[in-house]
Every structure is written in C-alpha cells, then in structure tokens.
Amino acid sequence: MGLTGNHPLYLLHAELLRQHIPDFQAYPFALPAVRGLERLEFRRPVTFLVGENGTGKSTLLEGIAAAWGFNPEGGTLNFTFNTRASHSSLYQYLRIARGVRRPKDGFFLRAESYYNVATYIDELDEQPGFSPPVKNSYGGQSLHEMSHGESFFATFVHRFGGRGLYILDEPEAALSPLRQMSLLVRMHELVQQQSQFIVATHSPIVMSYPGADILLLEEGGLRRVDLEETEHYAITRSFLNDREGMLRELLGED
C-alpha cells in the first residue's frame, strides 16, 4: 500500500531497465551506484544515499528526480529552465513506482545548481504582470540577496510545505553544523506532515535522522547500513576523539 505505519510513501521504488542499457562500460552506467542496480526500494519516510565521491550517488539521485518529473537542475515540478544540459541520460532507463497517494508538494534541491534556481526565480519575478512574486514562497526576499546558507535554509523553512516529496543533493553544502541540526528539526516537522525525503549527503549530522534508511554506495553496489557503520561517522568520531593524534598522522609529524 506504500505506507510506513500511517505515513504514505509517494515514491516506492526505482527500477533500472537493465535490458535497455546500451553499454555498462559507458557513463553513467559504469558508476558503482548504477552498474549493479536492479531495484532501489524506498521503505521509510527518510532515505539517505551515502558514499565516497565518484560512486555516483548524485547521478543516481538526479536520475530519480528527473524520472519523477523534476527539472534536472532543481526546483519544483513547474521549473522548466535549462542553463546547461549537463545531466545524464540515466532517467530514461529508470522506471519509478508511485504510491497510492500523490504528494501535494515537491522540490529537487541540488547544491551545485542552486544558483541557477535562484536566478530563475528572479527572472520570473521580473516578468511584467507576474503576481504574486515567486520569492514570496521563499521568505519574500531574493535568494541572491542572502548568503548561500541562508538561501538554502529559507527554502527548507518557507518553500517546503508538507505532504511533499523532497529530493535533496548534499543539502549540508552551505550549512554550518548548527544549521544542519536545524535542518533535522525542519525535516522532522515535514515528516510529521506526511512528507518523504530522499537525500544524498556526506554529513553524519544529517544522516543521523532517527529511523532513516541509510544506503551505502560502494564499488560492489548498494547496501543498507547503520549510521555507526559509515565511514563518515567513524572518521568524524576518531578525529574529534583524538584530534592531535590524527593530525600528527595526517601531517607526518612526530
């Protein structure tokens, strides 16, 4: 039924149409996140995709977002701008299964192209007769007039309205540790309002959300892990527990 308890899941799974892949040695199909993929099941309201750079988690997330109908550069389902066609063809080879209930809201946030989203909003608001201003949904101020972190957080707080599917690519990129914890609070508010999150992240703070599924992308494919099993958590903990020792080892000093 696409439910976790009384919580609806809007996106149930993403299946790679392996029989149609032209070449598993070519990008993006050679990426570890894609090469061994068959069906990616979403079981909980919050799912994290984690792994080292180059494993393909952002590419996989982009493919899922585009297959759902989001602009590959980010934004809402209504955003149709195209700054530079740099997204992969992966979405064409993904079949997604939607839940019984449809979301009322949705947003694809990706750190690397968020500037383009902010620019598009300003361009819409400059059009004659365009009312009310789109920026009103983001706190009433142009996102370009805020710091990168403030604009990210304004989107979480003001634009995300609940009962939504929110796909986030490295949302911690512009956020301080304190703001990352505030993001957890906002995520929890939205989960309680029947929202679903799929998030690619490197942050052990963000991926600590209680009850989330953490999917680790490795050379061998994808597996579910606990927070404490992730390298992100282990390295951060080791560094904080023995900062001087880690620095001596890293810098080659006695």
Side-chain angles (χ1 to χ4, degrees), residues 110-126:
R110 56 184 316 178
E112 67 178 32
S113 56
Y114 190 72
Y115 179 93
N116 302 339
V117 172
T119 299
Y120 181 65
I121 292 170
D122 281 353
E123 290 173 350
L124 289 176
D125 285 344
E126 290 168 2

Side-chain angles (χ1 to χ4, degrees), residues 76-202:
T76 71
L77 290 170
N78 297 323
F79 281 24
T80 58
F81 71 95
N82 185 356
T83 305
R84 186 168 72 91
S86 59
H87 59 282
S88 77
S89 62
L90 177 60
Y91 72 99
Q92 299 174 354
Y93 300 90
L94 289 174
R95 176 189 293 141
I96 60 173
R98 300 172 187 258
V100 175
R101 294 178 63 181
R102 301 185 67 176
K104 292 180 61 177
D105 190 28
F107 203 95
F108 176 34
L109 186 145
R110 56 184 316 178
E112 67 178 32
S113 56
Y114 190 72
Y115 179 93
N116 302 339
V117 172
T119 299
Y120 181 65
I121 292 170
D122 281 353
E123 290 173 350
L124 289 176
D125 285 344
E126 290 168 2
Q127 294 179 13
F130 201 91
S131 181
V134 179
K135 67 183 179 183
N136 286 0
S137 297
Y138 296 78
Q141 183 179 355
S142 168
L143 295 174
H144 281 312
E145 295 176 0
M146 308 179 195
S147 72
H148 201 37
E150 287 176 321
S151 66
F152 267 45
F153 203 70
T155 300
F156 302 142
V157 171
H158 299 292
R159 177 55 190 81
F160 291 12
R163 280 193 61 185
L165 174 65
Y166 303 112
I167 301 178
L168 314 180
D169 186 15
E170 300 184 6
E172 75 278 6
L175 301 181
S176 68
L178 182 60
R179 279 299 198 194
Q180 291 178 42
M181 289 187 278
S182 297
L183 172 60
L184 289 179
V185 174
R186 182 58 180 151
M187 283 178 61
H188 191 54
E189 292 172 350
L190 291 164
V191 167
Q192 291 177 318
Q193 297 169 23
Q194 299 188 330
S195 296
Q196 180 179 1
F197 284 85
I198 303 169
V199 185
T201 183
H202 290 290

